[in-house]
Amino acid sequence: MSTPHKAGFVNIFGAPNAGKSTLLNALLGEYLVITSPKVQTTRHRILGILTEPGYQIVFSDTPGIIEPKYALHRKMMMQVKSALEDADVAVLMHDITQPMEEIEHIDAELKLKVPVVLLLNKADLIKDTAELQRIKDAFQQRFPNYLVETISAAGKKNLEKIIPFILEHLPEAPPFYPEDSMSDRSTRFFVSELIREQIYHLFKEEIPYHAAVLIRSYEEKTTLDVIKADIIVTRETQKVILIGKGGTLIKKLGIEARKKIEEFVGRKVHLELFVKVRPKWRDTDTYLSEYGYN
């Protein structure tokens, strides 16, 4: 008698910079979601689909839970709310170097009603094994109904118990997506995210948080893909910083982003970047909609 097929939705929640996107990439074995040491890198809910014989897990990476300051933040928190509604299993992620109160606040906010695995990430930073066990025990005592594990998402350490726990609680169901699907998002979306990731890597302070990327055109030609993208910022001074003296920084950004895009699409790419100023785009519904923050 064959084992029934399982399928369901597993949503990843946590504070900004807890390592949610890094975990999703590690579990999928693919570089799907952009990462950065800076907080609030993830702005969208992004599905990552893991299909294996006998099961399909639809992971959902959500923006870090924050107090909204702009319309953009409110849209991001709506993505979190929508993820709450369809979860079969929840993954709570917590940076082990941060106080327990942080995850207590998030847990109270989410009011999860599904099985939960609480992952204490960045455990490799705690060198004393006795101290690590003490921390894990304290969290297990505080969250007795959750499976608590210490992991390193970046180092791909101690991740082996996560999938079995998820499968234990997934319902019997046929696959939701074709088996070759990696995500519900388009190539254009991921290209815009890869450009935005390089902005996070190359620019300090406020620039990444004021920047959005819009793919204006994407042409698949015989020998290469031709992509034209706008980088949106809120002030003229930010445009000057992004372009750099004699266009040096925008050129560097283009080179680094092109390399990442070529790795992702598996083809040669010609990338053209344009910087545009849109004051208050983060608080303007029309712009937010145009830039994909629905």
Side-chain angles (χ1 to χ4, degrees), residues 1 3 8 16 35 38 96 127 131 136 159 178 183 190 202 210 219 231 258-259 269:
M1 187 175 161
T3 310
T35 61
K38 297 183 176 73
I96 200 167
K127 302 303 180 189
E131 172 66 3
K136 181 182 176 183
L159 305 181
S183 179
F190 287 112
L202 294 175
H210 288 252
E219 293 179 76
I231 299 171
R258 178 178 55 75
K259 285 182 198 166
V269 164

Side-chain angles (χ1 to χ4, degrees), residues 69-106:
K69 293 179 183 173
Y70 303 97
L72 170 63
H73 290 167
R74 287 192 289 277
K75 299 266 187 189
M76 287 160 62
M77 291 309 97
M78 283 166 65
Q79 305 272 342
V80 174
K81 188 172 182 295
S82 75
L84 275 171
E85 291 165 4
D86 61 19
D88 294 301
V89 178
V91 176
L92 266 184
M93 283 203 77
H94 178 65
D95 179 339
I96 200 167
T97 65
Q98 298 303 308
M100 189 188 287
E101 288 76 20
E102 183 183 79
I103 201 68
E104 285 178 324
H105 173 72
I106 288 170

Side-chain angles (χ1 to χ4, degrees), residues 2-286:
S2 62
T3 310
H5 188 278
K6 291 192 162 194
F9 292 84
V10 176
N11 301 333
I12 307 170
F13 303 100
N17 216 16
K20 300 181 295 297
S21 300
T22 306
L23 175 74
L24 180 56
N25 289 336
L27 292 174
L28 293 175
E30 296 277 349
Y31 192 83
L32 189 69
V33 190
I34 69 170
T35 61
S36 160
K38 297 183 176 73
V39 298
Q40 293 174 35
T41 308
T42 301
R43 290 178 181 168
H44 299 269
R45 182 185 179 192
I46 301 167
L47 299 190
I49 302 159
L50 179 64
T51 303
E52 296 289 351
Y55 68 85
Q56 183 178 80
I57 303 172
V58 184
F59 288 102
S60 178
D61 183 25
T62 59
I65 294 165
I66 53 171
E67 287 295 325
K69 293 179 183 173
Y70 303 97
L72 170 63
H73 290 167
R74 287 192 289 277
K75 299 266 187 189
M76 287 160 62
M77 291 309 97
M78 283 166 65
Q79 305 272 342
V80 174
K81 188 172 182 295
S82 75
L84 275 171
E85 291 165 4
D86 61 19
D88 294 301
V89 178
V91 176
L92 266 184
M93 283 203 77
H94 178 65
D95 179 339
I96 200 167
T97 65
Q98 298 303 308
M100 189 188 287
E101 288 76 20
E102 183 183 79
I103 201 68
E104 285 178 324
H105 173 72
I106 288 170
D107 182 60
E109 190 101 349
L110 293 173
K111 299 182 179 68
L112 293 164
K113 295 180 173 65
V114 294
V116 177
V117 54
L118 171 56
L119 301 178
L120 306 178
N121 192 28
K122 308 182 188 179
D124 50 323
L125 300 177
I126 311 289
K127 302 303 180 189
D128 184 335
T129 52
E131 172 66 3
L132 188 61
Q133 188 63 47
R134 187 197 66 74
I135 295 170
K136 181 182 176 183
D137 291 345
F139 275 86
Q140 190 67 78
Q141 193 172 0
R142 173 63 187 82
F143 299 98
N145 298 324
Y146 298 170
L147 172 67
V148 178
E149 293 292 342
T150 55
I151 67 158
S152 167
K156 299 182 181 176
K157 299 278 172 61
N158 206 26
L159 305 181
E160 61 278 353
K161 294 181 185 174
I162 300 171
I163 299 295
F165 175 82
I166 289 168
L167 291 177
E168 194 183 322
H169 297 285
L170 276 197
E172 290 179 18
F176 293 97
Y177 293 91
E179 66 175 51
D180 58 350
S181 299
M182 279 299 299
S183 179
D184 62 328
R185 298 281 183 168
S186 67
T187 301
R188 286 170 78 116
F189 170 82
F190 287 112
V191 166
S192 72
E193 287 285 274
L194 289 168
I195 296 168
R196 195 165 65 84
E197 179 179 50
Q198 292 311 306
I199 296 171
Y200 273 81
H201 287 325
L202 294 175
F203 295 92
K204 305 288 189 287
E205 307 308 328
E206 87 274 12
I207 296 287
Y209 301 104
H210 288 252
V213 177
L214 179 65
I215 305 300
R216 282 290 175 201
S217 65
Y218 192 127
E219 293 179 76
E220 294 183 26
K221 296 187 180 283
T222 315
T223 54
L224 83 172
D225 292 357
V226 178
I227 303 167
K228 294 179 182 176
D230 289 347
I231 299 171
I232 316 297
V233 290
T234 58
R235 291 197 288 273
E236 199 65 42
T237 50
Q238 294 164 349
K239 179 177 178 178
V240 172
I241 292 168
L242 265 170
I243 292 171
K245 192 175 181 182
T248 51
L249 290 179
I250 193 74
K251 185 179 178 184
K252 185 177 182 185
L253 174 61
I255 290 168
E256 296 303 318
R258 178 178 55 75
K259 285 182 198 166
K260 291 288 186 181
I261 295 165
E262 286 179 342
E263 283 175 28
F264 185 77
V265 300
R267 301 190 76 210
K268 284 285 182 194
V269 164
H270 173 77
L271 177 64
E272 293 179 34
L273 299 176
F274 307 89
V275 185
K276 296 188 176 175
V277 179
R278 296 281 184 273
K280 298 189 176 176
W281 73 262
R282 296 182 300 173
D283 250 332
T284 309
D285 283 343
T286 314

